[in-house]
Amino acid sequence: MIQDGLLHTWELGYLCVELESDCLEAVRIVHCQSSEWGGSALVTSIRCLLEADWDVVVRHVSRDMNKVVDSLAQRGRELGAGSSVFYLPPEGTTALVIQEQGASGAVPGMHARGAPVISGAAVGIG
């Protein structure tokens, strides 16, 4: 899903992005410079995307820190599609958006710099 989120965000033309994943192992693999994962086509593809002409910050976040994205990822899995894009919060997630916005003072899925945040299986674009 990291690859799908990166591809979609690249195609939308964003040049400053934060990629957040609740999978610590995935973040470690993306950051790893060793050849241990070099043979994986998926890892190679993700690394190529990260080396493109844009600014992507990759970091680990816990599910508890971003309940909106966890909810969207769950909704995407329920739909059974390889990737799902939500341009507006689906029913049932609006309350989480309001809750997170109130807690942080920011719009979920949007970094203070205006960069979209790719989180797990969801891309938040405000």
Side-chain angles (χ1 to χ4, degrees):
M1 292 301 179
I2 288 174
Q3 180 187 25
D4 294 340
L6 284 170
L7 281 171
H8 184 69
T9 305
W10 175 260
E11 289 169 359
L12 290 173
Y14 287 95
L15 299 178
C16 184
V17 177
E18 293 192 12
L19 186 150
E20 298 177 343
S21 176
D22 64 357
C23 180
L24 183 57
E25 187 64 20
V27 172
R28 285 183 179 154
I29 290 168
V30 168
H31 282 296
C32 181
Q33 298 299 317
S34 76
S35 60
E36 178 183 355
W37 293 97
S40 165
L42 178 60
V43 172
T44 300
S45 175
I46 290 170
R47 288 182 180 165
C48 285
L49 283 165
L50 292 173
E51 292 173 6
D53 190 21
W54 61 340
D55 179 26
V56 181
V57 176
V58 180
R59 70 172 172 235
H60 175 258
V61 294
S62 70
R63 285 186 185 163
D64 292 338
M65 296 299 295
N66 199 341
K67 293 180 181 182
V68 172
V69 170
D70 189 47
S71 173
L72 291 173
Q74 178 62 35
R75 182 69 55 103
R77 285 188 293 273
E78 290 169 2
L79 293 173
S83 297
S84 299
V85 178
F86 302 100
Y87 292 98
L88 296 173
E91 186 177 329
T93 59
T94 304
L96 292 172
V97 170
I98 293 168
Q99 181 183 21
E100 283 193 13
Q101 186 175 12
S104 69
V107 177
M110 181 62 72
H111 183 272
R113 302 184 299 186
V117 178
I118 303 171
S119 300
V123 178
I125 300 172

